[in-house]
Amino acid sequence: MPKQELDGVELFNLSLSIVGTVLRDGDQRVNDLAELFEVSEAAINKAVMAVANSEDVKNYETHFYVDVDELAEGYVSLSQGMSSLSEPPSLSRRQLSSIAIGLDYLAAIPQFKADADLQALRALISESSPASATSHISSRLTEQIETLQEAMSKDLAIECEYINQTGA
Amino acid sequence: MAKQSPAERLFTLTCCLLASPVIGLSKQDLFDAVPAYRESSGGDALEKMFDRDKKALRNMGVQLEVRNNDAFEEGENARYLISRGAFVWPAEFELNPKQLGLVELAARSWNTQIFGSAARSGLTRLKSRGMVEIDRQLQHISPRLVAKHESFGPLADAISATTTVVFEYRKSDGSQSVREVDPLKLRLIEGEWVLLARERKAVKNFLLRRIVSKVKDTEAAFVPPGDALITQAEQDLVAFAASKVAVIEIVPDSEAWWHFGAESEQLELNFMDEALMAEDLMEFGADLKVIEPKSLADRIRAGFEAVIASHA
C-alpha cells in the first residue's frame, strides 16, 4: 500500500527522483509515477509542485518549467529552465549503507545464498558495506520457512499443528 | 508567492547551489536567492534552518561543499557549492527487475526508522534510474533485520566515514570503561550484532548489547587496516562463536522446542557471551535445562534465585 504521508526531506528526495525520471524518459502519467515510487498520487503532485515552485528570487531565474495544466490532467511534463539539475544525485553514504546491510542480511538467508542476481548486486552496491551477517543456524525452522514461502509463492494451502499462547 | 514548503526550500537550495559560479555562493547569496530564507524573520531561526537544510542535503546524498576563507571553521566568508561531478552515477549502474526487487526487499527488511527511512529513500532514488518493473515474486518474503541498538546507526555512519568513536562498554563481569576505537565492521553473528574495531593497534570485537552509552563520533579520521587483518579478525570471531557451545535439553513441543527448531530433546547452541546467553535462555523458563557448560547453568540458576529473592 502506498505510503500516504511523506515528510519534507522524503518529498524533496521524491522531487529529485521525478526530475531524473521525466528528463530521461519524457512525460509521465502521475499514476505511473505513483506506482513506480510506491507513493500516493497526491504525493507525486506535491513533489512536482516543489519542482514548479523552485526559483532563484535574487536573479529572477526559474529552475524548471512545469506544465501545471497537464499536471491537473494527470500528466507530469517539465523542462529545464535555468537549472543544471538533470538527474538525481547518487546515493548518500547512509542510503548506500542501509541498502548494503539489508542485502548482506538477505545473503545470509539460506534461500538467497546462491542467488546470482543478489551476488551481482552486492558486488555493485555492497563493496563498502559496513556490515555483514553470519549464522550457523540451519535448522528445521529454516526448512519450515522455505516451505511456507514456497507455498505462498504458489498460492498453495498448508497444514500444520500450532500451539497458541495458552499452550492449547 | 506562497510560503515555500520544506521540500520546495530544499529543492530550490539544491538548484541554486548547482547553478553557482565556480567559487560558490556566500550564505547571504543563498539567503537572498531562496524564497523561504528571504521571507524568514532572520536571526538565529534562519541560521538554524540553514544548518538543518545543509544536513538534510548531505543525508540525501547531495555533496554540499563548503570552502572556507577562515582558517578553522565555517565563517561568514564561507562559500557553498555542489560540484558538477557530484551527480554522476557509475556508468554500469543498471539494475534488472529481479535486482530492484531484491533492493526493495532489503529496504523493507529494516525494522528501525532511521535506517529503514534511508534505505527506502535510496530505493526511490534507484527507481529513478529507469522505469524498470520490479519483480514481484519476492513480495511474499518479509525478512526482518533487527537492529534495535541505538548505537547501530552512529557506528555504521562512522564506519563509512572512517572516523574514530567513543562509547562506554560494560563487560560480562560488570566492569565498565570508556573505549575509543576505530570502527571497522558490524557483523550479525548468531543473532547478535558485533562491532569489529581497532583499539590501540589490536582488532577487537564489541557486542552492541554491551555498549551502555551514546556513541560519540570524534570526527577524527583514521586509516583502516588492510583487508587481511580484518578478514583474519572476522574468521577468529566466527571460530570463537563456533567454539562456544551450550548443550541444552528441551521439553518436546514446548515454545523453546519450536523457537530453536529442535529435532531431538538435546540441542547444541553456539554463543559468544555467556552472560547474555543466560539472559536469553531464562526467557524460556522450565522449557529447557542447560547440560553444559556448568558455568552457564550456574548463571541461570543464580539469575532465577535473584528473581525469587527480589519477589519473595
Side-chain angles (χ1 to χ4, degrees):
Chain A
M1 186 180 163
K3 189 179 173 188
Q4 297 303 312
E5 291 295 330
L6 300 179
D7 65 26
V9 178
E10 288 171 323
L11 209 54
F12 162 64
N13 186 51
L14 184 61
S15 299
L16 289 174
S17 301
I18 290 171
V19 166
T21 305
V22 176
L23 288 183
R24 192 193 50 251
D25 296 336
D27 296 358
Q28 300 291 327
R29 291 166 62 96
V30 169
N31 58 359
D32 286 342
L33 289 173
E35 193 177 331
L36 174 69
F37 294 117
E38 295 190 69
V39 295
S40 65
E41 292 184 21
I44 296 291
N45 280 310
K46 268 191 192 175
V48 174
M49 287 313 294
V51 177
N53 292 332
S54 177
E55 63 172 323
D56 178 339
V57 285
K58 183 184 179 189
N59 299 305
Y60 306 103
E61 288 175 349
T62 299
H63 295 130
F64 286 93
Y65 296 105
V66 175
D67 191 326
V68 182
D69 294 332
E70 285 281 291
L71 186 63
E73 297 291 321
Y75 290 90
V76 178
S77 176
L78 58 87
S79 56
Q80 266 182 319
M82 294 308 292
S83 175
S84 55
L85 172 65
S86 57
E87 64 174 334
S90 44
L91 299 174
S92 73
R93 210 166 51 210
R94 185 167 264 206
Q95 286 171 329
L96 203 58
S97 295
S98 307
I99 291 172
I101 296 170
L103 293 173
D104 285 341
Y105 172 62
L106 290 185
I109 297 174
Q111 78 183 95
F112 289 114
K113 256 182 185 157
D115 192 298
D117 280 306
L118 180 57
Q119 283 169 8
L121 194 54
R122 288 180 74 209
L124 197 63
I125 289 182
S126 304
E127 269 180 4
S128 57
S129 170
S132 65
T134 307
S135 174
H136 299 113
I137 301 170
S138 180
S139 65
R140 200 162 67 190
L141 264 188
T142 309
E143 287 171 31
Q144 285 171 345
I145 290 167
E146 281 178 21
T147 307
L148 287 170
Q149 286 174 346
E150 197 181 337
M152 280 186 271
S153 67
K154 292 176 180 170
D155 292 331
L156 295 173
I158 54 130
E159 192 178 289
C160 64
E161 287 185 35
Y162 183 79
I163 305 169
N164 68 18
Q165 282 182 319
T166 64
Chain B
M1 186 177 177
K3 191 183 169 192
Q4 279 194 309
S5 68
E8 289 169 353
R9 189 175 75 234
L10 290 168
F11 193 86
T12 307
L13 177 60
T14 304
C15 289
C16 288
L17 286 165
L18 273 169
S20 71
V22 179
I23 58 162
L25 293 170
S26 70
K27 195 190 290 183
Q28 193 55 51
D29 289 336
L30 291 167
F31 287 174
D32 291 340
V34 177
Y37 295 154
R38 197 176 173 120
E39 289 157 15
S40 98
S41 52
D44 277 355
L46 177 57
E47 292 288 340
K48 282 181 184 168
M49 186 194 286
F50 184 56
D51 284 342
R52 272 200 310 274
D53 289 350
K54 285 186 291 180
K55 192 175 172 191
L57 291 193
R58 287 181 175 129
N59 282 343
M60 282 291 145
V62 178
Q63 291 172 38
L64 171 64
E65 282 182 40
V66 184
R67 293 188 182 163
N68 294 317
N69 290 332
D70 297 339
F72 297 106
E73 56 186 36
E74 192 177 320
E76 288 304 312
N77 295 325
R79 313 285 295 190
Y80 302 86
L81 73 155
I82 299 170
S83 64
R84 301 290 187 273
F87 278 47
V88 177
W89 285 66
E92 73 278 14
F93 212 103
E94 295 295 334
L95 304 182
N96 65 34
K98 167 82 180 295
Q99 288 173 330
L100 205 51
L102 286 164
V103 172
E104 185 175 52
L105 193 59
R108 276 198 286 122
S109 68
W110 279 103
N111 77 328
T112 52
Q113 179 58 31
I114 299 171
F115 265 62
S117 172
R120 283 192 299 277
S121 64
L123 175 64
T124 298
R125 197 72 64 73
L126 285 172
K127 285 177 175 175
S128 73
R129 300 290 302 158
M131 295 289 276
V132 175
E133 194 173 333
I134 291 186
D135 183 345
R136 299 291 176 192
Q137 287 294 310
L138 298 166
Q139 274 198 327
H140 59 275
I141 304 169
S142 197
R144 301 305 286 162
L145 182 48
V146 181
K148 59 190 172 189
H149 312 285
E150 200 186 323
S151 56
F152 191 94
L155 286 173
D157 286 344
I159 290 169
S160 299
T162 58
T163 47
T164 304
V165 294
V166 176
F167 53 77
E168 284 184 41
Y169 193 74
R170 185 181 294 148
K171 289 166 73 173
S172 56
D173 63 7
S175 62
Q176 200 165 309
S177 57
V178 175
R179 317 297 285 262
E180 183 170 332
V181 304
D182 301 337
L184 304 173
K185 196 157 195 171
L186 287 161
R187 299 207 61 188
L188 181 65
I189 300 181
E190 304 301 345
E192 284 288 347
W193 280 104
V194 180
L195 170 69
L196 198 72
R198 182 174 57 190
E199 186 181 40
R200 291 190 294 275
K201 293 186 180 174
V203 176
K204 299 177 181 176
N205 298 291
F206 299 88
L207 284 160
L208 265 58
R209 272 171 83 176
R210 294 207 168 279
I211 293 176
V212 291
S213 70
K214 281 189 183 300
V215 172
K216 187 183 167 209
D217 190 333
T218 65
E219 296 183 7
F222 67 86
V223 178
D227 287 344
L229 192 63
I230 296 176
T231 305
Q232 184 58 50
E234 287 187 279
Q235 287 170 351
D236 290 347
L237 178 61
V238 172
F240 174 74
S243 71
K244 303 282 273 183
V245 181
V247 180
I248 59 173
E249 206 170 85
I250 299 190
V251 176
D253 290 341
S254 63
E255 190 185 337
W257 175 273
W258 293 105
H259 177 85
F260 292 112
E263 291 174 329
S264 67
E265 289 179 33
Q266 211 168 78
L267 179 72
E268 290 187 354
L269 294 175
N270 295 99
F271 64 92
M272 284 180 289
D273 184 308
E274 192 177 272
L276 296 179
M277 181 67 166
E279 279 178 25
D280 292 344
L281 293 181
M282 281 175 69
E283 285 181 23
F284 296 97
D287 281 359
L288 55 82
K289 179 180 165 186
V290 174
I291 309 297
E292 285 178 21
K294 183 175 177 299
S295 53
L296 178 60
D298 290 344
R299 275 184 193 272
I300 291 177
R301 188 179 304 106
F304 280 129
E305 282 170 359
V307 172
I308 292 167
S310 60
H311 291 81

